[in-house]
Amino acid sequence: MGTVIGLVILVAIDWYLVRKTGLHIHKWISKKYAAYLSEKGNKK
């Protein structure tokens, strides 16, 4: 039952991100990570 609830929560988060940003979770995370890496590289 916990797995079903977890999946429903992930689907809800994905639906919210698609509506707000137009990106699915994995694309949003990779975009944020790339921005983090470029920021980290610029500080050196």
Side-chain angles (χ1 to χ4, degrees):
M1 189 66 183
T3 304
V4 173
I5 294 170
L7 287 174
V8 169
I9 291 171
L10 282 176
V11 167
I13 292 170
D14 187 52
W15 175 77
Y16 176 78
L17 279 175
V18 168
R19 286 196 52 176
K20 288 289 182 182
T21 65
L23 300 173
H24 287 279
I25 291 175
H26 61 280
K27 291 181 182 177
W28 184 79
I29 289 173
S30 66
K31 183 179 176 183
K32 291 291 183 183
Y33 185 65
Y36 165 75
L37 286 180
S38 67
E39 177 97 10
K40 185 178 173 184
N42 289 340
K43 289 184 178 179
K44 286 187 176 181

